[in-house]
Structure formats: C-alpha cells, structure tokens
Amino acid sequence: MKYQCRRRVDKEDEMTCLIKGCNFVLKNIPHEAFVYAKHADSEFRFQTTNPDIFPYLLVNIGSGVSIVKVESEDKFERIGGSSIGGGTFWGLGALLTKTKRFDELLQLASKGQHASVDMLVKDIYGGSYGYLGLTGDLIASSFGKSATADKDFSKEDMAKSLLHMISNDIGQLACLYAKLHNLSRVYFGGFFIRGHPVTMHTITYSINFFTKGEVQALFLRHEGYLGTIGAFLKGAEEDNPNQYSWGENYAGSSGLMSVSPDMNPMQRARSGTFPFDMLEMDRLERQLVNLPLLQDPSSYIPDTVDLTEDALAREYWLYCFEEALDGVVKRAVASQPDMPEAALRAEKFRQKYRHKLQTLRQQPFAYGSLTVRSLLDTREHCLNEFNFPDPYSKIKQRENDIALKYYQKAVKSLDELSWEEKQFALVRGVLAGNVFDWGAKAVSDVLESDPEFGFEEAKRQLEERPWLVDSYDQWLERLKGPPHKCALFFVDNSGVDIILGVMPFVRELLSRGTEVVLASNSGPALNDVTNGELQILTERIAAMDPVIEAGLREDRLLLVQSGSSSPCLDLSRLDKVLAMVVRERQTDLVIIEGMGRAIHTNYYAMLSCESLKMAVIKNSWLADRLGGKLFSVVFKYEVPAGKPNKDCGAFSPS
Amino acid sequence: MAFNGHQRDDDDIIDENETPSKQPRSDKEMPVHFRNEPNSESATTAGRATSDRRTSQSATRHRHDSVKKTRPPFPWFGMDIGGTLVKLVYFEPKDITAEEEQEEVENLKSIRRYLTSNTAYGKTGIRDVHLELQDLTLCGRKGNLHFIRFPTHDLPAFLQMGRDKHFSSLHTTLCATGGGAYKFESDFRMMADLELHKLDELDCLIRGVLYLDSVMSSGPSECYYFENPADPDHCVQKPCTLENPYPLLLVNIGSGVSILAVYSENNYKRVTGTSLGGGTFLGLCCLLTGCSTFEEALEMASQGESTRVDKLVRDIYGGDYERFGLPGWAVASSFGNMMSKDKRESVSKEDLARATLVTITNNIGSITRMCALNENIETVLFVGNFLRVNTLSMKLLAYAMDYWSKGQLKALFLRHEGYFGAVGALLELLHPS
C-alpha cells in the first residue's frame, strides 16, 4: 500500500501534526536523523535508529522559531520561541540586499564574508580576549561595522552576516532551553533549515560553540514532510497506524537536498520535479521488530560498509550497479514476453535507476547512509514502480525444476559418505549452491553464456581450505557435541542454492534432532527464494524425502517469512511472527547465507547465540578488498563471549 | 552619610548649560585641608563610597598625609575603550590649595580647563553634564567627576590632542579597560608616548557599578526601575538601591552584549553574551534608513511603528494562539512582513528603525530571561550605552522581564549606563586591587 502525503492542515493542528510526524519518522525511517559536519569527509553522519526517542527538543524554524519539548507520543509542550527566524532572514535580507527570493539570499550568503560587516572580538581587542577565552574571530557585534564604517557593503557580505546573526541567535536560545530542561537531543527543522547546507552548518557551529560540544544539532532527512505525515496519521488514527510498520520507498522519494540551492541545479532542472519534493512510504502489511537474538539492538548496524564514508567503495559499487543495469533491463523485458510495452517500461526503469545512481554519485547521503543494501533496494523499488515485480520468476522456476531433479541423487551420494566427510560435503554444498546467484555480476556473466554450468562445476570453482575466513574446524567440533535446540536459517537464492545446498544441510540438522526455522523473503528480490515459493518447493521435496516430510508433519521444520523484500537483511526489521517463533522455539543457532545477507550486511552483527555466516565472494573487487580472490569462501562460526568456543571468525590472512 | 556631592539644584543645571565655562562655585573653592577627610580605611575598600563632606572634622593632618603618600598624582582618568565608544571619566579636584595651584604645572592646568570648561570636544566628543557627580571625595580629595565620551574611531584625534598637550610629561598612569586598551596600546605609546595600565573590562564594570550605586545615597538615585511596566500610561520610573543585590544578573549592552552572574563583589562569571547588541541596532539602522548616529536612529524609532514591519501572532492566527499561551500582539516573526514586496514598499524608515530597536531589545530580553532561569537569579541589572537616552528599550526590557516571568523577574537600570567600566578603571588607579 502506498500513500503520498500532500495535504494542507489548519493552523491550530499544525504543531500536533508536526510532532506526530516527527515521532513517526524517528521511529520508522532508518538513518532519519543526522549530524552535519561541513568539513568532514562525510558531511552527513547518520544516527542509528534508537527505539527510545523521547524526550527531545524540536526547534522549528519557520518565519519565527518555536521550541517544543516532546516527552512522549502524546505529550509535548511549546516551551519557548523567538521572533528572530526564517522570516527575519528573508524580510531583513530582502530589505538589505534587494534580493527577493529566500534561495537567492542563501546563495548570496554562501558567497559572502561576514567579517567585513560584523565587528569581531579582534576588531575591538586587536586579538583575542584571552581572559575570557574568546577568540579574535568571534563576532562581538553583528553588523557592528556598518554602524561605524562609512562605506558600501556587498550584498553577499550583508547576507552572510545576517545568516550568522540569526543562526547564532537561534542556536543560543536552543541551548539555553536544552540546558534549562536538561535535554541533549535537539532536532532542527522548518523552512530555514530544509536541506540547506549553509543554515545547517551555521546552526551546527552555533550549537557547538554555545554548548562546548555537549549538545549535537540533529537534522532530519524528511523534515519537510513532518506536518503532512502527521496530518495523514491523524486522519488515519482510527486505523491505528502504529500496528503497521513502514518503509521508505527509494523509487518514489526524491531524497535529501533536492531543494537545496547550491546542490546540482542542473540535475534539479533535468528531473523537472522542482519544487515538488517527494517522500514515498510503503506501509508494510505486517509489523517489523528486532530479532530477539541481537546482542545489543541499540548498537546494531546491519550494513558492513557505509559508502558515504568510503569513497573508494562508493565509486566501485556505483559503477558496478550502472554496469549491471543493461542486464537487469534485458531480464526485465524477457520476464514479460507477452507484454509488448514491457520494453518501454524497462527503458523508463533504466532511466529512473540511472538517474538515482547519478544523484547518489553527487549526493551519496540522499537517502541516509549509502550502502550496497540501499543500492539493491533502490533497484528493487524502481523495478516495482515500473511494474516488474519479479523479473526472475521464470528463471527461478526453471532453476528449481532442474535442481529438484538432481535432489535425490545428491542426498544419496551424501548419505554414502562417512560422518565427517558428510559434514564437510554439506558445508561445501551450501557454499557451491550459493555460487548460483544471478544477482552477482561475475556469476550472471557465466550463467548467461553457459547455462550448463552445473553444481559440480561450482564445487570445483570453490576455494580450497583454508578459506579466507575459516572456522570450519570449530564448527565440526561443535557438531560432535549435543544437537542444537533450534536453528534459524536465513536462506538466499532459488534453484541449486536452496534445493541442493540448503535442504540437505537442513535435513542433517533435523536428523540430529535440531528444529529448523527457514526464514525467506516475504516478497521477491532478484532470484532470492520467496516464502511462497519455498512452501511449494518444500512440499515437492517432502514428497521425495521422508526426513523433510517428517519434519514438516511433526512441526520441526517451519517456513516463516522474514518480512523483507530485499536481497540483504536487516535484523532489526523482521516479521513479528518470525520473532515470536524464534523466541518460542528457544533458537540457539542462527545461520545466515549469501553475500547480501552475511557480507554486505550482518558481517559484524553480534548475536546472543551461536551463529554461522556462510558466503562465497562472487565479486572480484570485494574479494580483492577482503584480501581474497574470486570465489573465496567466508565461513564464520561464532559463539558469543561467555560461552565455550571463542570467536573464530576474524579474517585470517591468506 | 547625609549629603552627597552630586546633589544640585536646578539653578546649577541651568547655570552649567548656559555658561559651560563658568568658574567653580565659591563653596567649593574653600580650602579643604581641615574638613571632610575620609578615613584611610574607607579609602582602601576597593572603591566603596567615600564621599561625605559632613564627616567628622577630626581627621588628623597625619592621616591626611598618609593618604597623600599613596595617592597618585593628578590628573585622574579612567578610560574604557569599547568597540564603538570611548568612555572617559575625569576627576576634577576642587580642593586645590593656593600652594598646590602654584606648584601645578601648566599642562595639568590646561587639561583641567579644557575638559571642564567645554561640554563638547572636537566634532564628536561630548561631556554628559547631567551625569556629572559633584562634591565627590575620592582618595581624600574633593572634586567633581566628569563623564566624557567620543567614538572609538576618533581615538587618533584624541591621541593627537594628548600629544599636543604634552600629556606624557605629567608622568601619570593611564588606567584603561575595554578591548581598545589592548588594541590601541601601541598607538598610545607611539602617538602620545603614554603607557596604558590595562585592566579587564568585566572586573572594571562590576567595580564601577558597585561604586556608583553606593556613592549615591541621596539625590537622584543611581538605580531605578519601572513601576507598572505593562501599562504604558502608568509606567513610571522609581528610584531604588542595590542593597543586598546578590545574586545579580548584570547585562551590559554595548556594541555587543555580555551577561554576568554576580554573586559578590569579587565573585562573578560571564554566563554568555550575544552579538546582537547596540552595534547591531545602529548598524542595521544605518543600512536600512541611511542615518548615521545613534541619536538619529533613536529619534526615528520613536516615531515609527514596528507592527507594520513585524509579523505578529495575530497576523498568523487572527488572534491569540491560546494553546501555547501566545498573545496576539506578540511578535511571531521580526521583519516577517518584509518578506512581501508590497509591504516592503509601504513601510517608512521610521517603522524600520522602530522594528530594529524592538527586535534587538526583545532578543536581549529573552536571552536574559533564559539566563536568569538557568542561573536561578531574580534581579537583573541592565547597563551599557545602548540604553543611553533609550527609554523605549528600557521600558520594553522592563515589560518583557515582568510579562514573560509572570512578575518573577525585576529589571533594574542605572543612570550612568555606559560609564561603569571607565569608573572601575579610575578606581583601579586610586585603589589598586
């Protein structure tokens, strides 16, 4: 379900809607809040979402300033304000510079030198005021020089001086209120702030100065929508919106900074959307919650690399996704052979996604932290928008059919092995199966040129032990011990992966007396197996395999949807039912398979039970970066501190 | 202390204004060796009040001599060189004996005559005659304290004058505070051959405030407040004293603003400051209206209407914003109406000057109020030259403190608005701390 919020609200409700909207985005949108640091490598430092958002101070800078203390969902109070706000900057700025538009004023300000208009401490002291620790560059008197010096001042300089004066003043008042009410989280919003780096910078500077770094100025990516989101939620109150979870739709949202005056005016003109900025939120049908087995949910960050901070990795991945675009378009068209307009839609998809990639190249922070996950998710959202909900559905079916034919033979050959040989073969099977992945570029090249590429071939491609990350010995030792109570297995691809790799492994766990919960995607993403598909597949396997059949019948093998439709995995946003099952079954082992879920995300995820992360690195750049080569293996078995078997999962130099 | 030197009758004032070069009045020309000596104890209490010409006549010659020994030679100046104005206080001894008169070097005499016989110096120097404190006893000498100001950018002319009058030959110590004491130290040395004794401006400010308040025990009170600040028709100035003033929030509004929490004479801290001060008011007024002096800007402001420039709460909500207790008359956005082109074209310079004054004043008011809350202080003392002849701002501040604190906060003002730093510097000359 999609809602686009563009509603007008009456004045009396304004504040209520604003706060409702603010609470909503802080709770529901990952990387909503950020700290702005103009001169840092990454200008935007996104804050991880903390479920505990209260209390906070919201400083809304419209034409005036309102300072609101928010204590809970329904409890907030306007504790103060100031008449010196955005209207003062605009009104006074227009008088001083004869410049009419707010954006133009900001642009003037960004080019000006305030020191020619302001009286600085050094203008009075000749240097710093050492006794009080006031440095010479501090502004002693805003516009102080225009009172004494008889000369003309440039528009740019006056606009800059005005911007400093107003930002400093607001920052100072915000700090005084924060101190009085003992609050450390201060969010800034309103049209004065709205994606304008100049004002964010001056406000941040002011807050740092007045609190000596004790309070950080926080900004919101969707600050401009708070009122309308709030109004929508208010309207939908009977519907109890808190029972659902929400996700940002990257395809529909225009992203941060798109209204900023000095950011990409070219791009803004091209996109033709200015001045309408968009946020699209998908209401997810089910409620999403933390995996109960996360060691510390508040510090959990799904993504392994933040591409906003890692310029080299960002370059590569943006290039990689752009390169892969032709193939994705081709497959999208091929997936709908009976629809003549599919080619046109696919072309529109190509344009949209390419534009998103270009935007991200310029503004990596446009949708919060940029990660491989967000790039993948954006592509899925864009495909959906142009009605390609599942471009791989036919491929997945064909792959499944081929693999199923081979299932019994594979199981039989495994059963012929000794116990120890079998354990190793099972692990190699999961890894080899995972090589079959249309999502990874190296593999999709091979698969498309040689459809006969088979399971045995994949095994031969695998790196020999010792693997790049290799804790297999510890895993084997563990298997000699008592069986696990219940294993939660996050599965990856359809076809050979799930059928010939995962299922035999699951079968062995069941035989050992371990219950197994297979968690698969709720909706399609690449060639990942969805929960719906897995239901059918498992039935078909059960018909051939008494162990699987018994597992299903005795309720020791469960198929549960993860709540996600992404090729990656965010363990803080999982289907509530899954979390419940995990708790009920006293899950003591979590297995995560594949690059998307175990390397791009969750590589560093700390769990409170044993965990096994298995993946084949099917990207030579990434392999290189991790010190391995193409088809290097990551086998990371971890036991939380305090339990026997120490962490064995560090990358070993190879 | 029954009687203080500053007291004058109306005749005196008229007299002064009409004949600025008048000779000292006869009663002050009496030899004073044997009358009215402060005891040396009070003279060393860090500048506390020492003036009382009816004190016991029993002060001995001996004690007088001991004071004389520690007493610096004339002339006695205290100087505060701010960002916009230089404030100068000059003690004019009125108890000069014939003997002294004989010994007095010509330079000293000429400086004294020049300063006391004029009320304006050069194009921009002004003596605030109405602030003069007469019959003051300082360090065992009786005389008048004069208050003089001139723009900081005319300091070179002042130094030139010092050079011309061979000021340096007097071997006096020139106690100076304010940023200019640091900035212009080398100019004093190079241009006028004068060594400055540099002093911290906040130390001087507090010392000056406490001294002038204590010295005024009768006559027009140094300290006053506004009664009924909410009612323009009944808002009147009322005298008061700074007895038991601590803790005190001292707000000094010069070019910029400093806010100090004062717990005792020697215990204070600078809480915060803001760059939106008197310099901002005048600077913006100059840019917006083309005026060039503070007096002009104030005059315009007094004739303008800020509500044409500012957006009020009622302009947005049609009335009060009751849910948040905001009255309709409150300013929602300073200069907010100026976002519209039509309204920009319909306002007068006077309106703009008024809006600038109201904006700056209210902002100082709200920062002050927040500091008072954070520091848990209920008495606020506003000083600084921004308040000079600026009743508009003082009443606004008095009202803002009263209204927004629901009567908890009391705003106090002092007659010698911007001169406390200079007075503090003079006290440092006489009684080094």
Side-chain angles (χ1 to χ4, degrees):
Chain A
M1 269 186 149
K2 289 177 184 174
Y3 296 91
Q4 285 180 13
C5 307
R6 280 188 196 157
R7 264 182 55 175
R8 297 223 23 102
V9 288
D10 64 74
K11 287 283 179 195
E12 198 55 34
D13 272 348
E14 208 174 57
M15 195 66 80
T16 313
C17 293
L18 192 71
I19 303 302
K20 257 185 193 305
C22 193
N23 292 340
F24 177 82
V25 295
L26 285 175
K27 277 187 186 160
N28 284 285
I29 305 191
H31 295 142
E32 177 58 34
F34 61 88
V35 168
Y36 184 76
K38 190 183 178 187
H39 301 294
D41 287 344
S42 159
E43 280 175 289
F44 297 80
R45 284 213 317 281
F46 294 94
Q47 310 290 298
T48 49
T49 0
N50 187 338
D52 188 18
I53 63 169
F54 304 109
Y56 65 86
L57 202 63
L58 179 66
V59 181
N60 193 49
I61 315 173
S63 51
V65 180
S66 281
I67 299 177
V68 186
K69 177 185 178 183
V70 186
E71 283 175 285
S72 71
E73 200 67 61
D74 305 305
K75 194 177 171 204
F76 68 89
E77 186 192 354
R78 185 188 189 278
I79 53 173
S82 167
S83 68
I84 299 184
T88 315
F89 178 70
W90 194 342
L92 198 45
L95 288 167
L96 290 171
T97 68
K98 314 276 179 262
T99 304
K100 288 174 206 135
R101 287 189 35 219
F102 181 72
D103 279 10
E104 288 170 32
L105 276 169
L106 279 183
Q107 244 167 334
L108 283 181
S110 62
K111 288 181 237 149
Q113 297 293 327
H114 75 102
S116 62
V117 183
D118 290 341
M119 188 184 284
L120 309 184
V121 166
K122 68 181 173 203
D123 293 321
I124 301 176
Y125 273 83
S128 63
Y129 182 1
Y131 180 75
L132 285 181
L134 303 177
T135 66
D137 286 325
L138 259 159
I139 304 171
S141 174
S142 294
F143 286 90
K145 279 187 189 147
S146 57
T148 51
D150 195 16
K151 63 164 191 169
D152 287 332
F153 296 92
S154 81
K155 289 179 178 185
E156 288 81 0
D157 294 352
M158 287 189 290
K160 181 64 165 268
S161 172
L162 187 60
L163 178 69
H164 274 294
M165 173 180 113
I166 290 169
S167 299
N168 284 337
D169 193 53
I170 295 170
Q172 179 172 28
L173 276 172
C175 294
L176 287 167
Y177 279 101
K179 187 180 172 202
L180 189 63
H181 293 264
N182 200 17
L183 297 169
S184 58
R185 269 176 290 190
V186 185
Y187 299 98
F188 287 86
F191 82 73
F192 185 69
I193 295 293
R194 204 145 303 161
H196 302 301
V198 214
T199 58
M200 288 194 285
H201 175 62
T202 49
I203 289 276
T204 301
Y205 183 87
S206 165
I207 294 284
N208 284 342
F209 174 76
F210 285 110
T211 68
K212 298 178 181 76
E214 276 171 35
V215 173
Q216 274 190 327
L218 293 164
F219 304 96
L220 301 172
R221 280 202 295 138
H222 298 108
E223 184 280 317
Y225 300 97
L226 302 186
T228 31
I229 291 172
F232 164 72
L233 291 173
K234 204 160 180 272
E237 225 146 46
E238 288 152 34
D239 210 17
N240 187 11
N242 279 332
Q243 71 186 320
Y244 308 107
S245 286
W246 299 74
E248 181 176 8
N249 186 307
Y250 294 135
S253 302
S254 52
L256 185 68
M257 317 296 293
S258 55
V259 292
S260 153
D262 37 51
M263 282 288 195
N264 301 330
M266 288 291 293
Q267 173 225 326
R268 202 168 66 195
R270 229 183 305 130
S271 74
T273 54
F274 182 78
F276 300 106
D277 214 20
M278 294 267 288
L279 163 66
E280 193 169 312
M281 298 278 293
D282 295 342
R283 190 180 78 183
L284 311 166
E285 288 307 308
R286 323 192 28 132
Q287 217 178 324
L288 301 182
V289 296
N290 278 327
L291 177 68
L293 298 170
L294 279 177
Q295 216 171 63
D296 177 14
S298 64
S299 69
Y300 169 72
I301 299 169
D303 305 285
T304 308
V305 178
D306 183 346
L307 300 180
T308 46
E309 284 169 12
D310 188 337
L312 223 61
R314 178 169 75 237
E315 268 310 298
Y316 170 75
W317 286 112
L318 286 170
Y319 164 79
C320 182
F321 277 86
E322 205 156 332
E323 277 288 282
L325 192 50
D326 281 342
V328 176
V329 168
K330 221 159 80 187
R331 261 190 310 280
V333 177
S335 71
Q336 299 178 351
D338 306 330
M339 299 193 179
E341 40 31 280
L344 189 66
R345 273 187 287 120
E347 202 43 50
K348 282 185 182 160
F349 154 76
R350 184 212 299 276
Q351 278 171 19
K352 176 133 196 179
Y353 189 58
R354 178 169 290 161
H355 178 242
K356 294 264 169 196
L357 290 175
Q358 277 162 359
T359 305
L360 287 167
R361 211 180 278 275
Q362 310 271 1
Q363 307 154 232
F365 38 77
Y367 300 98
S369 287
L370 179 65
T371 60
V372 175
R373 176 166 65 111
S374 75
L375 286 169
L376 284 164
D377 289 354
T378 306
R379 189 165 71 187
E380 294 298 320
H381 293 165
C382 288
L383 279 167
N384 277 332
E385 187 185 344
F386 293 100
N387 220 353
F388 294 106
D390 194 1
Y392 289 86
S393 75
K394 292 226 159 57
I395 295 168
K396 285 190 284 187
Q397 266 174 40
R398 198 172 63 230
E399 287 273 308
N400 286 343
D401 290 343
I402 296 169
L404 278 168
K405 280 178 200 156
Y406 196 63
Y407 178 78
Q408 275 171 305
K409 195 179 161 198
V411 169
K412 188 160 171 276
S413 66
L414 283 167
D415 283 343
E416 284 161 5
L417 300 172
S418 71
W419 182 84
E420 228 175 280
E421 285 170 343
K422 187 178 175 184
Q423 302 313 312
F424 186 61
L426 284 168
V427 167
R428 270 178 60 99
V430 171
L431 293 168
N434 197 242
V435 174
F436 284 78
D437 182 357
W438 289 85
K441 190 172 175 293
V443 180
S444 59
D445 285 350
V446 178
L447 285 178
E448 274 186 277
S449 62
D450 178 15
E452 293 305 310
F453 185 83
F455 192 40
E456 294 309 317
E457 178 64 24
K459 282 184 191 163
R460 276 193 291 276
Q461 294 276 355
L462 281 185
E463 181 188 25
E464 290 299 320
R465 287 194 65 197
W467 294 321
L468 181 59
V469 176
D470 192 339
S471 37
Y472 178 75
D473 292 342
Q474 288 84 349
W475 170 246
L476 188 68
E477 275 310 302
R478 173 64 187 85
L479 287 181
K480 289 173 185 166
H484 294 91
K485 170 82 183 61
C486 174
L488 167 64
F489 200 135
F490 287 97
V491 300
D492 190 6
N493 307 308
S494 300
V496 175
D497 187 345
I498 182 77
I499 296 165
L500 301 181
V502 175
M503 278 304 182
F505 194 93
V506 167
R507 186 176 186 273
E508 179 71 11
L509 285 171
L510 288 169
S511 307
R512 278 169 58 81
T514 302
E515 293 177 354
V516 179
V517 178
L518 287 180
S520 53
N521 269 4
S522 302
L526 294 176
N527 63 331
D528 290 2
V529 64
T530 64
N531 186 248
E533 291 159 354
L534 191 57
Q535 304 272 359
I536 299 167
L537 273 181
T538 316
E539 288 296 336
R540 288 174 73 181
I541 292 171
M544 302 184 276
D545 184 342
V547 180
I548 299 292
E549 193 273 333
L552 284 177
R553 182 163 33 79
E554 292 161 14
D555 202 29
R556 291 192 301 113
L557 172 61
L558 284 87
L559 310 174
V560 184
Q561 57 175 312
S562 66
S564 160
S565 302
S566 162
C568 295
L569 179 63
D570 180 349
L571 294 176
S572 66
R573 286 169 72 82
L574 293 178
D575 195 289
K576 203 177 178 182
V577 174
L578 177 61
M580 207 179 66
V581 170
V582 162
R583 215 174 284 126
E584 274 173 7
R585 302 278 164 143
Q586 297 168 349
T587 304
D588 53 357
L589 172 67
V590 173
I591 304 169
I592 306 176
E593 182 210 5
M595 273 211 321
R597 291 176 181 77
I599 294 183
H600 293 318
T601 54
N602 297 311
Y603 188 77
Y604 298 113
M606 302 292 283
L607 298 169
S608 58
C609 66
E610 291 171 49
S611 65
L612 185 55
K613 294 162 189 169
M614 288 187 277
V616 180
I617 301 171
K618 290 164 289 187
N619 174 295
S620 48
W621 182 87
L622 184 64
D624 205 41
R625 195 167 231 234
L626 298 178
K629 51 189 192 299
L630 197 61
F631 300 120
S632 273
V633 168
V634 169
F635 187 92
K636 193 180 186 189
Y637 169 63
E638 287 166 298
V639 178
K643 300 199 177 175
N645 269 348
K646 279 277 166 193
D647 177 3
C648 322
F651 278 118
S652 57
S654 58
Chain B
M1 299 208 220
F3 185 62
N4 239 320
H6 70 273
Q7 196 182 54
R8 301 179 303 198
D9 53 36
D10 287 340
D11 284 341
D12 283 348
I13 293 170
I14 292 161
D15 190 3
E16 266 183 25
N17 287 344
E18 287 178 344
T19 54
S21 57
K22 77 182 180 73
Q23 292 302 303
R25 287 185 290 271
S26 59
D27 66 341
K28 289 160 195 155
E29 287 184 316
M30 289 165 65
V32 288
H33 290 81
F34 302 109
R35 56 174 275 224
N36 191 28
E37 285 305 322
N39 55 49
S40 55
E41 240 176 75
S42 61
T44 54
T45 51
R48 273 282 170 187
T50 58
S51 87
D52 184 356
R53 72 176 175 194
R54 301 274 165 90
T55 37
S56 158
Q57 301 265 329
S58 66
T60 65
R61 187 68 190 252
H62 172 77
R63 292 184 79 181
H64 172 62
D65 286 345
S66 82
V67 170
K68 198 175 176 180
K69 269 180 207 156
T70 58
R71 202 157 57 196
F74 289 125
W76 293 352
F77 282 110
M79 200 174 197
D80 177 3
I81 312 170
T84 311
L85 287 176
V86 178
K87 282 77 66 176
L88 188 68
V89 293
Y90 167 64
F91 181 79
E92 171 203 7
K94 304 292 281 188
D95 54 2
I96 297 172
T97 57
E99 186 188 348
E100 268 184 312
E101 181 98 38
Q102 288 256 285
E103 289 170 13
E104 195 176 31
V105 294
E106 199 47 45
N107 287 341
L108 186 56
K109 214 169 281 176
S110 128
I111 286 167
R112 178 155 50 93
R113 288 222 185 92
Y114 175 71
L115 289 176
T116 56
S117 61
N118 292 298
T119 56
Y121 315 94
K123 279 181 191 148
T124 53
I126 284 166
R127 181 155 62 91
D128 283 314
V129 179
H130 67 287
L131 293 179
E132 182 180 333
L133 295 179
Q134 294 181 340
D135 289 339
L136 197 67
T137 306
L138 259 181
C139 222
R141 297 302 301 255
K142 179 171 280 296
N144 299 342
L145 197 56
H146 298 276
F147 297 87
I148 297 160
R149 62 186 151 91
F150 59 88
T152 305
H153 60 75
D154 285 332
L155 191 69
F158 174 81
L159 292 178
Q160 192 56 49
M161 186 197 81
R163 189 194 180 103
D164 295 346
K165 293 194 180 296
H166 303 286
F167 202 95
S168 61
S169 66
L170 300 170
H171 304 293
T172 185
T173 311
L174 194 49
C175 280
T177 185
Y182 297 80
K183 184 180 179 184
F184 301 110
E185 186 182 16
S186 64
D187 293 337
F188 272 85
R189 193 181 299 133
M190 308 289 281
M191 293 176 67
D193 193 24
L194 283 170
E195 279 303 321
L196 290 185
H197 179 43
K198 304 191 296 294
L199 300 162
D200 179 74
E201 62 174 297
L202 300 182
D203 289 343
C204 288
L205 173 69
I206 290 173
R207 208 171 165 182
V209 164
L210 296 175
Y211 172 74
L212 283 195
D213 178 67
S214 67
V215 85
M216 308 297 287
S217 53
S218 68
S221 170
E222 177 67 23
C223 186
Y224 60 96
Y225 68 98
F226 288 91
E227 200 174 60
N228 307 316
D231 180 357
D233 295 332
H234 300 98
C235 178
V236 283
Q237 202 172 315
K238 290 271 176 175
C240 62
T241 58
L242 275 183
E243 271 176 87
N244 303 321
Y246 309 115
L248 175 77
L249 204 65
L250 180 58
V251 183
N252 185 31
I253 317 175
S255 312
V257 181
S258 274
I259 301 181
L260 318 178
V262 189
Y263 301 98
S264 74
E265 197 173 320
N266 302 310
N267 180 14
Y268 73 89
K269 66 172 180 186
R270 183 178 187 273
V271 178
T272 188
T274 165
S275 70
L276 286 84
T280 315
F281 164 65
L282 183 54
L284 282 174
C285 271
C286 291
L287 293 171
L288 293 171
T289 70
C291 71
S292 55
T293 67
F294 183 66
E295 289 76 4
E296 249 182 286
L298 275 184
E299 176 57 26
M300 272 200 262
S302 70
Q303 290 162 19
E305 185 59 69
S306 63
T307 54
R308 285 198 276 266
V309 179
D310 294 339
K311 205 183 265 299
L312 307 187
V313 168
R314 65 162 178 259
D315 296 333
I316 301 174
Y317 293 95
D320 296 350
Y321 190 2
E322 277 162 27
R323 167 139 197 221
F324 296 122
L326 288 177
W329 53 258
V331 183
S333 173
S334 297
F335 285 85
N337 280 341
M338 297 297 92
M339 290 187 276
S340 132
K341 187 169 179 281
D342 293 346
K343 288 186 175 159
R344 277 202 295 278
E345 282 161 3
S346 71
V347 293
S348 67
K349 288 180 173 183
E350 287 76 13
D351 295 338
L352 292 172
R354 179 63 165 252
T356 309
L357 187 76
V358 171
T359 302
I360 301 296
T361 306
N362 278 340
N363 189 60
I364 294 168
S366 71
I367 291 174
T368 300
R369 199 174 58 84
M370 288 308 296
C371 290
L373 280 171
N374 272 325
E375 301 300 322
N376 207 11
I377 295 177
E378 289 183 354
T379 310
V380 184
L381 184 58
F382 290 98
V383 297
N385 266 327
F386 174 64
L387 300 176
R388 193 172 62 78
V389 294
N390 187 359
T391 317
L392 221 51
S393 286
M394 287 192 281
K395 285 187 174 175
L396 260 173
L397 286 170
Y399 178 56
M401 290 304 108
D402 182 72
Y403 182 86
W404 296 107
S405 75
K406 301 189 173 68
Q408 281 291 102
L409 285 177
K410 193 162 191 186
L412 305 177
F413 304 90
L414 297 176
R415 281 180 67 228
H416 285 86
E417 288 125 4
Y419 283 108
F420 301 104
V423 171
L426 172 65
L427 294 173
E428 184 62 32
L429 170 74
L430 305 179
H431 314 287
S433 54

